[in-house]
Amino acid sequence: DGSTNPPAGANNYVMALGTNDQLLFWNLHIDWGDPGNSFITDPPTPISVAAFTEECQAYYRNACIPQGGSTTKLESLGDRPMFRLPYRNFGDHEALVLSHSIETDGEISGIRWYEIRDPGGTPTIYQSGTYSPDSRYRWMGSMAMDRVGNMAVGYSVSDSSIDPSIWYTGRLVTDPLNELAQSEEVIQNGTGSQTDGLQRWGDYSSMSVDPVDDCTFWYTQEYLTEDGSFNWHTRIASFAYPSCFCAALAPTGLTADVSGNNAIQLDWSVADGATEYRIYRSTTPGTGYSQVDATTDTSYLDASGLHGGITYYYVVTTYDGSL
């Protein structure tokens, strides 16, 4: 995902579930010019993770997800990782994200998720967690990451009193590690459950990121409008975290040069789409900033009235008229 390609010559990455405390990682290389140079690593590299039990592991076809108004239990597909395994190159690090359904307290289904870094070197769990905030079953997830590192995961939600529905949650890159700290939101509440013993629920869902703005998440998942079998509906929804767009507009390259007695000139690179820059100043790094000026359609500002012997710290932020 994103506009920055993997490093030249990078392999493709494949992952699967291992034992209850491992993920399995393969490097896959395809050489179309000389097929004999193609390979997949064997054996795979094991990556240790927090122990887990696959959801519905003890049930035939992994079917144990309850529904409102139906005695039919749905398959969790807890025996495999979910679509997709999105990759991003942030320049200073590479990342993969992955999710699957696991058993939590009382056989409740929760979403286990991971961010894996350095796949081209030594793949390592950078952060992970299990999302299961209550007694509802959450499964059939899909996960992605936007251009600044915010994450979103969508999934199906059900229990004995709720028809299968579509919800999502996520985290900002500034949230504490190992937490999906953003509020859970409803995309579509289902108004029907699957009947007639039909246990299979979908063939995965899809969370992807809009390639135009690299901030908007698009989630595709199934639901029912009424009880029945083979009468699925598909919901396609989009959402975004405003901080991604703010970061996309962020000015860069801020410098300060003496321009006269008790004065400096601030310079920065213009951000596309910005309508105004707001300038903040403090005498303490990282705290105590207050707005001292604003300017439009320019990439510099003369700051005067300063005092010798004091170190000043400046922050320039962007305003686009809507954020």
mmCIF file of all heavy atoms in Angstrom, residues 202-250:
data_model
loop_
_atom_site.group_PDB
_atom_site.id
_atom_site.type_symbol
_atom_site.label_atom_id
_atom_site.label_comp_id
_atom_site.label_asym_id
_atom_site.label_seq_id
_atom_site.Cartn_x
_atom_site.Cartn_y
_atom_site.Cartn_z
ATOM 1 N N GLY A 202 -19.409 -15.903 4.569
ATOM 2 C CA GLY A 202 -18.479 -15.129 3.757
ATOM 3 C C GLY A 202 -17.214 -15.878 3.405
ATOM 4 O O GLY A 202 -16.895 -16.920 3.948
ATOM 5 N N ASP A 203 -16.503 -15.347 2.460
ATOM 6 C CA ASP A 203 -15.154 -15.799 2.147
ATOM 7 C C ASP A 203 -14.235 -14.608 2.335
ATOM 8 O O ASP A 203 -13.673 -14.069 1.377
ATOM 9 C CB ASP A 203 -15.070 -16.325 0.714
ATOM 10 C CG ASP A 203 -15.542 -17.769 0.630
ATOM 11 O OD1 ASP A 203 -15.402 -18.487 1.629
ATOM 12 O OD2 ASP A 203 -16.041 -18.174 -0.428
ATOM 13 N N TYR A 204 -14.147 -14.161 3.595
ATOM 14 C CA TYR A 204 -13.288 -13.054 3.998
ATOM 15 C C TYR A 204 -13.952 -11.698 3.738
ATOM 16 O O TYR A 204 -14.965 -11.600 3.049
ATOM 17 C CB TYR A 204 -11.915 -13.120 3.318
ATOM 18 C CG TYR A 204 -11.353 -14.518 3.325
ATOM 19 C CD1 TYR A 204 -11.386 -15.312 2.187
ATOM 20 C CD2 TYR A 204 -10.861 -15.063 4.505
ATOM 21 C CE1 TYR A 204 -10.912 -16.613 2.215
ATOM 22 C CE2 TYR A 204 -10.383 -16.362 4.540
ATOM 23 C CZ TYR A 204 -10.416 -17.137 3.387
ATOM 24 O OH TYR A 204 -9.961 -18.421 3.429
ATOM 25 N N SER A 205 -13.375 -10.668 4.342
ATOM 26 C CA SER A 205 -13.792 -9.292 4.092
ATOM 27 C C SER A 205 -12.555 -8.512 3.669
ATOM 28 O O SER A 205 -11.450 -9.063 3.645
ATOM 29 C CB SER A 205 -14.433 -8.677 5.348
ATOM 30 O OG SER A 205 -13.496 -8.593 6.412
ATOM 31 N N SER A 206 -12.717 -7.241 3.322
ATOM 32 C CA SER A 206 -11.581 -6.492 2.786
ATOM 33 C C SER A 206 -11.538 -5.077 3.329
ATOM 34 O O SER A 206 -12.476 -4.304 3.126
ATOM 35 C CB SER A 206 -11.648 -6.437 1.252
ATOM 36 O OG SER A 206 -10.608 -5.611 0.745
ATOM 37 N N MET A 207 -10.419 -4.741 4.007
ATOM 38 C CA MET A 207 -10.117 -3.371 4.393
ATOM 39 C C MET A 207 -8.969 -2.900 3.499
ATOM 40 O O MET A 207 -7.896 -3.508 3.491
ATOM 41 C CB MET A 207 -9.708 -3.271 5.860
ATOM 42 C CG MET A 207 -9.467 -1.845 6.348
ATOM 43 S SD MET A 207 -10.990 -0.876 6.525
ATOM 44 C CE MET A 207 -11.633 -1.554 8.072
ATOM 45 N N SER A 208 -9.201 -1.842 2.734
ATOM 46 C CA SER A 208 -8.163 -1.311 1.857
ATOM 47 C C SER A 208 -8.110 0.199 2.007
ATOM 48 O O SER A 208 -8.978 0.805 2.646
ATOM 49 C CB SER A 208 -8.428 -1.702 0.396
ATOM 50 O OG SER A 208 -9.691 -1.222 -0.027
ATOM 51 N N VAL A 209 -7.084 0.810 1.455
ATOM 52 C CA VAL A 209 -6.861 2.245 1.586
ATOM 53 C C VAL A 209 -6.908 2.885 0.210
ATOM 54 O O VAL A 209 -6.322 2.375 -0.754
ATOM 55 C CB VAL A 209 -5.514 2.540 2.271
ATOM 56 C CG1 VAL A 209 -5.308 4.035 2.442
ATOM 57 C CG2 VAL A 209 -5.445 1.852 3.626
ATOM 58 N N ASP A 210 -7.634 3.986 0.099
ATOM 59 C CA ASP A 210 -7.809 4.680 -1.174
ATOM 60 C C ASP A 210 -6.449 5.098 -1.731
ATOM 61 O O ASP A 210 -5.683 5.792 -1.056
ATOM 62 C CB ASP A 210 -8.684 5.917 -0.963
ATOM 63 C CG ASP A 210 -9.230 6.456 -2.264
ATOM 64 O OD1 ASP A 210 -8.434 6.719 -3.184
ATOM 65 O OD2 ASP A 210 -10.456 6.623 -2.370
ATOM 66 N N PRO A 211 -6.104 4.690 -2.959
ATOM 67 C CA PRO A 211 -4.789 5.044 -3.499
ATOM 68 C C PRO A 211 -4.657 6.507 -3.888
ATOM 69 O O PRO A 211 -3.539 6.971 -4.133
ATOM 70 C CB PRO A 211 -4.666 4.138 -4.729
ATOM 71 C CG PRO A 211 -6.080 3.893 -5.155
ATOM 72 C CD PRO A 211 -6.881 3.829 -3.882
ATOM 73 N N VAL A 212 -5.772 7.242 -3.945
ATOM 74 C CA VAL A 212 -5.691 8.654 -4.337
ATOM 75 C C VAL A 212 -5.226 9.510 -3.171
ATOM 76 O O VAL A 212 -4.235 10.243 -3.267
ATOM 77 C CB VAL A 212 -7.049 9.147 -4.877
ATOM 78 C CG1 VAL A 212 -6.992 10.641 -5.168
ATOM 79 C CG2 VAL A 212 -7.420 8.378 -6.139
ATOM 80 N N ASP A 213 -5.920 9.419 -2.017
ATOM 81 C CA ASP A 213 -5.519 10.252 -0.876
ATOM 82 C C ASP A 213 -4.683 9.484 0.147
ATOM 83 O O ASP A 213 -4.070 10.077 1.024
ATOM 84 C CB ASP A 213 -6.730 10.891 -0.202
ATOM 85 C CG ASP A 213 -7.730 9.878 0.356
ATOM 86 O OD1 ASP A 213 -7.316 8.797 0.817
ATOM 87 O OD2 ASP A 213 -8.934 10.185 0.351
ATOM 88 N N ASP A 214 -4.659 8.131 0.059
ATOM 89 C CA ASP A 214 -3.887 7.275 0.956
ATOM 90 C C ASP A 214 -4.291 7.452 2.420
ATOM 91 O O ASP A 214 -3.512 7.154 3.321
ATOM 92 C CB ASP A 214 -2.384 7.521 0.787
ATOM 93 C CG ASP A 214 -1.558 6.254 1.026
ATOM 94 O OD1 ASP A 214 -2.158 5.164 1.113
ATOM 95 O OD2 ASP A 214 -0.325 6.370 1.134
ATOM 96 N N CYS A 215 -5.500 7.957 2.638
ATOM 97 C CA CYS A 215 -6.023 8.159 3.991
ATOM 98 C C CYS A 215 -7.372 7.478 4.201
ATOM 99 O O CYS A 215 -7.661 7.014 5.304
ATOM 100 C CB CYS A 215 -6.193 9.657 4.279
ATOM 101 S SG CYS A 215 -4.655 10.580 4.526
ATOM 102 N N THR A 216 -8.210 7.436 3.170
ATOM 103 C CA THR A 216 -9.566 6.908 3.294
ATOM 104 C C THR A 216 -9.556 5.386 3.284
ATOM 105 O O THR A 216 -9.027 4.764 2.364
ATOM 106 C CB THR A 216 -10.463 7.426 2.158
ATOM 107 O OG1 THR A 216 -10.474 8.849 2.170
ATOM 108 C CG2 THR A 216 -11.878 6.888 2.300
ATOM 109 N N PHE A 217 -10.137 4.792 4.333
ATOM 110 C CA PHE A 217 -10.298 3.340 4.398
ATOM 111 C C PHE A 217 -11.603 2.953 3.689
ATOM 112 O O PHE A 217 -12.631 3.623 3.849
ATOM 113 C CB PHE A 217 -10.366 2.868 5.846
ATOM 114 C CG PHE A 217 -9.076 3.019 6.607
ATOM 115 C CD1 PHE A 217 -8.860 4.129 7.410
ATOM 116 C CD2 PHE A 217 -8.081 2.055 6.527
ATOM 117 C CE1 PHE A 217 -7.674 4.274 8.121
ATOM 118 C CE2 PHE A 217 -6.898 2.184 7.241
ATOM 119 C CZ PHE A 217 -6.688 3.296 8.038
ATOM 120 N N TRP A 218 -11.553 1.866 2.933
ATOM 121 C CA TRP A 218 -12.741 1.285 2.309
ATOM 122 C C TRP A 218 -12.905 -0.133 2.852
ATOM 123 O O TRP A 218 -11.986 -0.944 2.772
ATOM 124 C CB TRP A 218 -12.590 1.231 0.785
ATOM 125 C CG TRP A 218 -12.644 2.579 0.137
ATOM 126 C CD1 TRP A 218 -11.597 3.429 -0.097
ATOM 127 C CD2 TRP A 218 -13.804 3.245 -0.351
ATOM 128 N NE1 TRP A 218 -12.036 4.575 -0.702
ATOM 129 C CE2 TRP A 218 -13.388 4.496 -0.872
ATOM 130 C CE3 TRP A 218 -15.163 2.905 -0.393
ATOM 131 C CZ2 TRP A 218 -14.280 5.400 -1.426
ATOM 132 C CZ3 TRP A 218 -16.052 3.809 -0.956
ATOM 133 C CH2 TRP A 218 -15.603 5.039 -1.467
ATOM 134 N N TYR A 219 -14.092 -0.420 3.411
ATOM 135 C CA TYR A 219 -14.332 -1.733 3.986
ATOM 136 C C TYR A 219 -15.507 -2.397 3.297
ATOM 137 O O TYR A 219 -16.579 -1.786 3.135
ATOM 138 C CB TYR A 219 -14.595 -1.632 5.489
ATOM 139 C CG TYR A 219 -14.670 -2.987 6.158
ATOM 140 C CD1 TYR A 219 -13.656 -3.916 5.981
ATOM 141 C CD2 TYR A 219 -15.750 -3.349 6.956
ATOM 142 C CE1 TYR A 219 -13.699 -5.162 6.577
ATOM 143 C CE2 TYR A 219 -15.809 -4.589 7.566
ATOM 144 C CZ TYR A 219 -14.783 -5.494 7.367
ATOM 145 O OH TYR A 219 -14.839 -6.738 7.951
ATOM 146 N N THR A 220 -15.325 -3.679 2.905
ATOM 147 C CA THR A 220 -16.344 -4.476 2.230
ATOM 148 C C THR A 220 -16.637 -5.714 3.069
ATOM 149 O O THR A 220 -15.720 -6.467 3.402
ATOM 150 C CB THR A 220 -15.857 -4.895 0.831
ATOM 151 O OG1 THR A 220 -15.473 -3.736 0.098
ATOM 152 C CG2 THR A 220 -16.962 -5.616 0.081
ATOM 153 N N GLN A 221 -17.924 -5.915 3.397
ATOM 154 C CA GLN A 221 -18.312 -7.010 4.290
ATOM 155 C C GLN A 221 -19.757 -7.395 3.990
ATOM 156 O O GLN A 221 -20.511 -6.609 3.404
ATOM 157 C CB GLN A 221 -18.152 -6.562 5.753
ATOM 158 C CG GLN A 221 -18.615 -7.494 6.835
ATOM 159 C CD GLN A 221 -17.809 -8.771 6.908
ATOM 160 O OE1 GLN A 221 -17.993 -9.646 6.064
ATOM 161 N NE2 GLN A 221 -16.949 -8.896 7.917
ATOM 162 N N GLU A 222 -20.167 -8.582 4.397
ATOM 163 C CA GLU A 222 -21.528 -9.051 4.131
ATOM 164 C C GLU A 222 -22.440 -8.881 5.340
ATOM 165 O O GLU A 222 -21.991 -8.778 6.484
ATOM 166 C CB GLU A 222 -21.518 -10.505 3.683
ATOM 167 C CG GLU A 222 -21.278 -11.497 4.800
ATOM 168 C CD GLU A 222 -21.594 -12.920 4.373
ATOM 169 O OE1 GLU A 222 -20.699 -13.580 3.827
ATOM 170 O OE2 GLU A 222 -22.734 -13.386 4.610
ATOM 171 N N TYR A 223 -23.752 -8.864 5.070
ATOM 172 C CA TYR A 223 -24.770 -8.835 6.118
ATOM 173 C C TYR A 223 -26.074 -9.321 5.484
ATOM 174 O O TYR A 223 -26.147 -9.549 4.266
ATOM 175 C CB TYR A 223 -24.936 -7.422 6.699
ATOM 176 C CG TYR A 223 -25.605 -6.436 5.765
ATOM 177 C CD1 TYR A 223 -26.914 -6.030 5.976
ATOM 178 C CD2 TYR A 223 -24.924 -5.909 4.670
ATOM 179 C CE1 TYR A 223 -27.539 -5.130 5.118
ATOM 180 C CE2 TYR A 223 -25.527 -5.013 3.805
ATOM 181 C CZ TYR A 223 -26.828 -4.623 4.032
ATOM 182 O OH TYR A 223 -27.439 -3.731 3.178
ATOM 183 N N LEU A 224 -27.095 -9.515 6.312
ATOM 184 C CA LEU A 224 -28.411 -9.926 5.815
ATOM 185 C C LEU A 224 -29.450 -8.878 6.181
ATOM 186 O O LEU A 224 -29.395 -8.287 7.267
ATOM 187 C CB LEU A 224 -28.829 -11.270 6.415
ATOM 188 C CG LEU A 224 -27.981 -12.498 6.076
ATOM 189 C CD1 LEU A 224 -28.571 -13.738 6.754
ATOM 190 C CD2 LEU A 224 -27.877 -12.712 4.585
ATOM 191 N N THR A 225 -30.406 -8.670 5.298
ATOM 192 C CA THR A 225 -31.515 -7.765 5.598
ATOM 193 C C THR A 225 -32.712 -8.508 6.173
ATOM 194 O O THR A 225 -33.614 -7.893 6.747
ATOM 195 C CB THR A 225 -31.956 -7.019 4.334
ATOM 196 O OG1 THR A 225 -32.379 -7.959 3.350
ATOM 197 C CG2 THR A 225 -30.814 -6.173 3.780
ATOM 198 N N GLU A 226 -32.746 -9.851 5.999
ATOM 199 C CA GLU A 226 -33.807 -10.674 6.566
ATOM 200 C C GLU A 226 -33.292 -12.093 6.741
ATOM 201 O O GLU A 226 -32.291 -12.479 6.129
ATOM 202 C CB GLU A 226 -35.047 -10.658 5.667
ATOM 203 C CG GLU A 226 -34.788 -11.161 4.259
ATOM 204 C CD GLU A 226 -36.011 -11.024 3.371
ATOM 205 O OE1 GLU A 226 -37.038 -10.531 3.857
ATOM 206 O OE2 GLU A 226 -35.933 -11.423 2.206
ATOM 207 N N ASP A 227 -33.975 -12.860 7.587
ATOM 208 C CA ASP A 227 -33.557 -14.238 7.811
ATOM 209 C C ASP A 227 -33.608 -15.031 6.513
ATOM 210 O O ASP A 227 -34.485 -14.804 5.653
ATOM 211 C CB ASP A 227 -34.474 -14.916 8.834
ATOM 212 C CG ASP A 227 -34.324 -14.331 10.226
ATOM 213 O OD1 ASP A 227 -33.323 -13.606 10.462
ATOM 214 O OD2 ASP A 227 -35.190 -14.599 11.080
ATOM 215 N N GLY A 228 -32.680 -15.975 6.371
ATOM 216 C CA GLY A 228 -32.697 -16.820 5.184
ATOM 217 C C GLY A 228 -31.339 -17.436 4.939
ATOM 218 O O GLY A 228 -30.424 -17.352 5.768
ATOM 219 N N SER A 229 -31.179 -18.080 3.786
ATOM 220 C CA SER A 229 -29.901 -18.658 3.379
ATOM 221 C C SER A 229 -29.661 -18.302 1.916
ATOM 222 O O SER A 229 -30.598 -18.204 1.121
ATOM 223 C CB SER A 229 -29.899 -20.177 3.580
ATOM 224 O OG SER A 229 -30.956 -20.785 2.851
ATOM 225 N N PHE A 230 -28.415 -18.092 1.575
ATOM 226 C CA PHE A 230 -28.021 -17.666 0.228
ATOM 227 C C PHE A 230 -28.696 -16.359 -0.186
ATOM 228 O O PHE A 230 -28.989 -16.132 -1.355
ATOM 229 C CB PHE A 230 -28.321 -18.760 -0.807
ATOM 230 C CG PHE A 230 -27.569 -20.036 -0.562
ATOM 231 C CD1 PHE A 230 -28.195 -21.116 0.038
ATOM 232 C CD2 PHE A 230 -26.227 -20.153 -0.904
ATOM 233 C CE1 PHE A 230 -27.501 -22.301 0.284
ATOM 234 C CE2 PHE A 230 -25.528 -21.318 -0.662
ATOM 235 C CZ PHE A 230 -26.167 -22.401 -0.065
ATOM 236 N N ASN A 231 -28.951 -15.490 0.782
ATOM 237 C CA ASN A 231 -29.577 -14.196 0.482
ATOM 238 C C ASN A 231 -28.722 -13.049 1.024
ATOM 239 O O ASN A 231 -29.228 -12.070 1.533
ATOM 240 C CB ASN A 231 -30.997 -14.137 1.067
ATOM 241 C CG ASN A 231 -31.015 -14.274 2.587
ATOM 242 O OD1 ASN A 231 -30.189 -14.962 3.161
ATOM 243 N ND2 ASN A 231 -31.983 -13.633 3.235
ATOM 244 N N TRP A 232 -27.408 -13.199 0.898
ATOM 245 C CA TRP A 232 -26.485 -12.202 1.444
ATOM 246 C C TRP A 232 -26.586 -10.858 0.738
ATOM 247 O O TRP A 232 -26.942 -10.779 -0.441
ATOM 248 C CB TRP A 232 -25.044 -12.702 1.301
ATOM 249 C CG TRP A 232 -24.782 -14.025 1.938
ATOM 250 C CD1 TRP A 232 -24.748 -14.299 3.271
ATOM 251 C CD2 TRP A 232 -24.521 -15.257 1.275
ATOM 252 N NE1 TRP A 232 -24.462 -15.626 3.488
ATOM 253 C CE2 TRP A 232 -24.322 -16.238 2.272
ATOM 254 C CE3 TRP A 232 -24.421 -15.638 -0.064
ATOM 255 C CZ2 TRP A 232 -24.029 -17.571 1.975
ATOM 256 C CZ3 TRP A 232 -24.128 -16.949 -0.359
ATOM 257 C CH2 TRP A 232 -23.952 -17.910 0.645
ATOM 258 N N HIS A 233 -26.256 -9.816 1.472
ATOM 259 C CA HIS A 233 -26.060 -8.484 0.913
ATOM 260 C C HIS A 233 -24.621 -8.053 1.194
ATOM 261 O O HIS A 233 -23.982 -8.560 2.112
ATOM 262 C CB HIS A 233 -27.027 -7.471 1.541
ATOM 263 C CG HIS A 233 -28.430 -7.610 1.061
ATOM 264 N ND1 HIS A 233 -29.180 -8.750 1.273
ATOM 265 C CD2 HIS A 233 -29.223 -6.763 0.370
ATOM 266 C CE1 HIS A 233 -30.378 -8.590 0.738
ATOM 267 N NE2 HIS A 233 -30.434 -7.392 0.186
ATOM 268 N N THR A 234 -24.126 -7.120 0.399
ATOM 269 C CA THR A 234 -22.766 -6.605 0.566
ATOM 270 C C THR A 234 -22.811 -5.123 0.882
ATOM 271 O O THR A 234 -23.505 -4.358 0.212
ATOM 272 C CB THR A 234 -21.933 -6.822 -0.716
ATOM 273 O OG1 THR A 234 -21.862 -8.220 -1.003
ATOM 274 C CG2 THR A 234 -20.525 -6.269 -0.546
ATOM 275 N N ARG A 235 -22.074 -4.720 1.911
ATOM 276 C CA ARG A 235 -21.975 -3.303 2.290
ATOM 277 C C ARG A 235 -20.550 -2.826 2.029
ATOM 278 O O ARG A 235 -19.577 -3.464 2.432
ATOM 279 C CB ARG A 235 -22.305 -3.142 3.782
ATOM 280 C CG ARG A 235 -22.242 -1.699 4.284
ATOM 281 C CD ARG A 235 -23.457 -0.910 3.823
ATOM 282 N NE ARG A 235 -23.638 0.286 4.628
ATOM 283 C CZ ARG A 235 -23.076 1.468 4.366
ATOM 284 N NH1 ARG A 235 -22.292 1.598 3.323
ATOM 285 N NH2 ARG A 235 -23.314 2.504 5.154
ATOM 286 N N ILE A 236 -20.433 -1.718 1.317
ATOM 287 C CA ILE A 236 -19.144 -1.076 1.070
ATOM 288 C C ILE A 236 -19.180 0.283 1.746
ATOM 289 O O ILE A 236 -20.050 1.106 1.441
ATOM 290 C CB ILE A 236 -18.857 -0.917 -0.435
ATOM 291 C CG1 ILE A 236 -18.925 -2.287 -1.129
ATOM 292 C CG2 ILE A 236 -17.498 -0.263 -0.661
ATOM 293 C CD1 ILE A 236 -18.824 -2.210 -2.644
ATOM 294 N N ALA A 237 -18.270 0.513 2.675
ATOM 295 C CA ALA A 237 -18.288 1.747 3.464
ATOM 296 C C ALA A 237 -16.901 2.377 3.442
ATOM 297 O O ALA A 237 -15.884 1.697 3.278
ATOM 298 C CB ALA A 237 -18.705 1.458 4.902
ATOM 299 N N SER A 238 -16.864 3.704 3.642
ATOM 300 C CA SER A 238 -15.584 4.401 3.718
ATOM 301 C C SER A 238 -15.566 5.319 4.926
ATOM 302 O O SER A 238 -16.597 5.833 5.362
ATOM 303 C CB SER A 238 -15.327 5.213 2.441
ATOM 304 O OG SER A 238 -16.282 6.250 2.288
ATOM 305 N N PHE A 239 -14.374 5.524 5.476
ATOM 306 C CA PHE A 239 -14.176 6.418 6.613
ATOM 307 C C PHE A 239 -12.701 6.775 6.649
ATOM 308 O O PHE A 239 -11.869 6.161 5.966
ATOM 309 C CB PHE A 239 -14.619 5.763 7.928
ATOM 310 C CG PHE A 239 -13.902 4.471 8.230
ATOM 311 C CD1 PHE A 239 -12.731 4.467 8.971
ATOM 312 C CD2 PHE A 239 -14.401 3.259 7.766
ATOM 313 C CE1 PHE A 239 -12.069 3.283 9.242
ATOM 314 C CE2 PHE A 239 -13.745 2.072 8.033
ATOM 315 C CZ PHE A 239 -12.578 2.080 8.766
ATOM 316 N N ALA A 240 -12.351 7.772 7.444
ATOM 317 C CA ALA A 240 -10.953 8.198 7.562
ATOM 318 C C ALA A 240 -10.741 8.859 8.903
ATOM 319 O O ALA A 240 -11.688 9.340 9.546
ATOM 320 C CB ALA A 240 -10.583 9.158 6.437
ATOM 321 N N TYR A 241 -9.490 8.892 9.342
ATOM 322 C CA TYR A 241 -9.105 9.634 10.530
ATOM 323 C C TYR A 241 -8.583 11.003 10.097
ATOM 324 O O TYR A 241 -7.655 11.083 9.287
ATOM 325 C CB TYR A 241 -8.035 8.882 11.312
ATOM 326 C CG TYR A 241 -8.506 7.553 11.849
ATOM 327 C CD1 TYR A 241 -7.933 6.366 11.426
ATOM 328 C CD2 TYR A 241 -9.537 7.489 12.787
ATOM 329 C CE1 TYR A 241 -8.360 5.137 11.926
ATOM 330 C CE2 TYR A 241 -9.974 6.274 13.283
ATOM 331 C CZ TYR A 241 -9.379 5.101 12.847
ATOM 332 O OH TYR A 241 -9.817 3.900 13.331
ATOM 333 N N PRO A 242 -9.168 12.102 10.606
ATOM 334 C CA PRO A 242 -8.743 13.444 10.165
ATOM 335 C C PRO A 242 -7.251 13.694 10.311
ATOM 336 O O PRO A 242 -6.672 14.437 9.519
ATOM 337 C CB PRO A 242 -9.554 14.379 11.072
ATOM 338 C CG PRO A 242 -10.781 13.597 11.421
ATOM 339 C CD PRO A 242 -10.316 12.175 11.549
ATOM 340 N N SER A 243 -6.613 13.058 11.286
ATOM 341 C CA SER A 243 -5.186 13.302 11.486
ATOM 342 C C SER A 243 -4.362 12.898 10.282
ATOM 343 O O SER A 243 -3.279 13.444 10.049
ATOM 344 C CB SER A 243 -4.689 12.546 12.725
ATOM 345 O OG SER A 243 -4.855 11.147 12.572
ATOM 346 N N CYS A 244 -4.856 11.953 9.479
ATOM 347 C CA CYS A 244 -4.126 11.549 8.278
ATOM 348 C C CYS A 244 -4.076 12.695 7.279
ATOM 349 O O CYS A 244 -3.038 12.976 6.683
ATOM 350 C CB CYS A 244 -4.781 10.318 7.649
ATOM 351 S SG CYS A 244 -3.915 9.702 6.176
ATOM 352 N N PHE A 245 -5.224 13.377 7.094
ATOM 353 C CA PHE A 245 -5.251 14.496 6.159
ATOM 354 C C PHE A 245 -4.425 15.667 6.679
ATOM 355 O O PHE A 245 -3.760 16.358 5.915
ATOM 356 C CB PHE A 245 -6.687 14.933 5.889
ATOM 357 C CG PHE A 245 -7.503 13.897 5.192
ATOM 358 C CD1 PHE A 245 -8.428 13.126 5.886
ATOM 359 C CD2 PHE A 245 -7.343 13.664 3.839
ATOM 360 C CE1 PHE A 245 -9.173 12.159 5.247
ATOM 361 C CE2 PHE A 245 -8.097 12.702 3.185
ATOM 362 C CZ PHE A 245 -9.012 11.953 3.887
ATOM 363 N N CYS A 246 -4.477 15.889 7.983
ATOM 364 C CA CYS A 246 -3.654 16.957 8.564
ATOM 365 C C CYS A 246 -2.192 16.694 8.292
ATOM 366 O O CYS A 246 -1.439 17.601 7.922
ATOM 367 C CB CYS A 246 -3.891 17.049 10.065
ATOM 368 S SG CYS A 246 -5.549 17.620 10.525
ATOM 369 N N ALA A 247 -1.768 15.445 8.472
ATOM 370 C CA ALA A 247 -0.372 15.113 8.228
ATOM 371 C C ALA A 247 -0.023 15.277 6.756
ATOM 372 O O ALA A 247 1.088 15.671 6.410
ATOM 373 C CB ALA A 247 -0.090 13.684 8.684
ATOM 374 N N ALA A 248 -1.006 14.986 5.872
ATOM 375 C CA ALA A 248 -0.746 15.137 4.444
ATOM 376 C C ALA A 248 -0.508 16.586 4.067
ATOM 377 O O ALA A 248 0.153 16.888 3.079
ATOM 378 C CB ALA A 248 -1.925 14.573 3.644
ATOM 379 N N LEU A 249 -1.058 17.506 4.844
ATOM 380 C CA LEU A 249 -0.899 18.935 4.560
ATOM 381 C C LEU A 249 0.255 19.561 5.330
ATOM 382 O O LEU A 249 0.514 20.750 5.198
ATOM 383 C CB LEU A 249 -2.190 19.680 4.932
ATOM 384 C CG LEU A 249 -3.418 19.427 4.065
ATOM 385 C CD1 LEU A 249 -4.637 20.067 4.698
ATOM 386 C CD2 LEU A 249 -3.195 19.959 2.670
ATOM 387 N N ALA A 250 0.941 18.774 6.126
ATOM 388 C CA ALA A 250 1.937 19.349 7.014
ATOM 389 C C ALA A 250 3.060 20.027 6.238
ATOM 390 O O ALA A 250 3.607 19.445 5.302
ATOM 391 C CB ALA A 250 2.520 18.272 7.913
#
